[in-house]
Amino acid sequence: MTKADLVSKIAKDAGISQKSADQVLSALTGAIHDSLKNEGQIRIPDLGTFKVTKRNARTGVNPRTGDKIDIPEATVPGFTAAKALKECCKK
């Protein structure tokens, strides 16, 4: 599903215009970004938890040359799915 498909689905399900649905989606992603930047995590019931995690520095291997390389520590976003989301994906 693309962003355009998601905007169309939100607009149809909520009974609003596609322009409004696009603004809602933009506001949601902006709120998630702000929360991760300021608080480090956001929990959305039935969806999951977005959180910032620290990845330690480590040594890796360049697959092309086989040379060892140093990979610096990094701060990265992570996501843990809620039970409801996991259940809806089961077949």
Side-chain angles (χ1 to χ4, degrees):
M1 178 179 273
T2 64
K3 179 182 177 184
D5 295 337
L6 183 57
V7 168
S8 294
K9 175 107 172 99
I10 292 169
K12 181 181 173 192
D13 290 352
I16 58 176
S17 70
Q18 287 200 2
K19 184 176 181 180
S20 295
D22 187 44
Q23 290 172 338
V24 168
L25 184 58
S26 294
L28 175 64
T29 56
I32 291 171
H33 292 186
D34 290 344
S35 180
L36 289 177
K37 186 175 184 179
N38 298 324
E39 300 166 26
Q41 80 170 29
I42 182 169
R43 182 178 172 273
I44 303 172
D46 297 331
L47 183 62
T49 303
F50 294 90
K51 62 183 170 181
V52 175
T53 59
K54 186 177 125 185
R55 189 178 294 157
N56 293 326
R58 61 194 188 280
T59 302
V61 177
N62 181 333
R64 180 172 284 174
T65 63
D67 294 339
K68 290 188 178 188
I69 55 174
D70 291 326
I71 302 170
E73 95 175 8
T75 303
V76 296
F79 177 75
T80 303
K83 183 178 179 183
L85 182 61
K86 290 177 187 178
E87 291 296 322
C88 81
C89 295
K90 289 185 179 179
K91 292 184 179 187

